[in-house]
Amino acid sequence: MNVKATLSPDDLARACADAMWREDDASKGLGMEILAVGPGHATLMMTVQPHMVNGQRIAHGGFIFLLADSTFAYACNSRNERTVAAQCDITFIKSGRLGDRLVAMAREVSHSGRSGIYDISVTVDDVVIAEFRGHSRTVGGTWLPSGADTKST
């Protein structure tokens, strides 16, 4: 069975996200949640916990980067091609605070061959606090086997 031919693009993206999530101890361990996923896009959420604030008592930038990076991963792996980050950068615009609900939204800017570019905005209450750009590279392999039973239960 050809998975890409039997699933809609949205269903394929969801199935890939589910397969990734089962193995994603980092995102689960930080309390992230997948809010939405589709071909070339994803939205994840994470609440800033006490262990995520730094000496300034603001959200440590590394945790904001982690949320953006995880969101990037779900967006660029949404077509059943195993894909990793080749390069990423982030610009911090405002501080996150303890208890803030951070929402990261990724959108595909470009996808050609084995390379992609994705922009991720991290917001608190719809106010952008960080902008992240990720460059992706497919590395071979798939999330779902070509003969996988992809029917919903």
Side-chain angles (χ1 to χ4, degrees):
M1 176 189 323
N2 182 339
V3 173
K4 284 187 179 182
T6 59
L7 293 176
S8 72
D10 284 331
D11 289 342
L12 178 63
R14 184 74 238 180
C16 291
D18 291 345
M20 283 180 63
W21 188 255
R22 283 191 290 276
E23 302 298 324
D24 189 352
D25 295 335
S27 297
K28 287 187 287 193
L30 291 172
M32 292 183 200
E33 296 176 34
I34 300 172
L35 301 180
V37 66
H41 64 88
T43 304
L44 273 68
M45 185 278 296
M46 179 179 76
T47 300
V48 178
Q49 302 295 320
H51 66 276
M52 298 176 179
V53 296
N54 61 22
Q56 303 280 356
R57 304 312 296 160
I58 59 176
H60 190 291
F63 288 103
I64 296 170
F65 187 98
L66 273 162
L67 174 63
D69 187 42
S70 288
T71 307
F72 166 48
Y74 283 91
C76 68
N77 279 276
S78 62
R79 291 187 179 87
N80 200 28
E81 297 176 307
R82 287 194 182 248
T83 306
V84 298
Q87 190 272 327
C88 307
D89 62 68
I90 194 165
T91 301
F92 299 106
I93 300 165
K94 294 183 178 251
S95 300
R97 306 261 180 226
L98 179 63
D100 280 352
R101 182 178 188 260
L102 307 179
V103 176
M105 295 176 53
R107 72 174 183 84
E108 186 176 81
V109 174
S110 172
H111 182 258
S112 179
R114 294 179 55 207
S115 299
I117 299 173
Y118 296 78
D119 284 341
I120 297 86
S121 294
V122 180
T123 63
V124 174
D125 296 328
D126 296 321
V127 174
V128 176
I129 67 163
E131 290 286 350
F132 174 107
R133 175 160 274 193
H135 297 252
S136 68
R137 187 76 169 168
T138 59
V139 294
T142 60
W143 288 103
L144 308 172
S146 61
D149 178 10
T150 57
K151 294 179 184 171
S152 297
T153 54

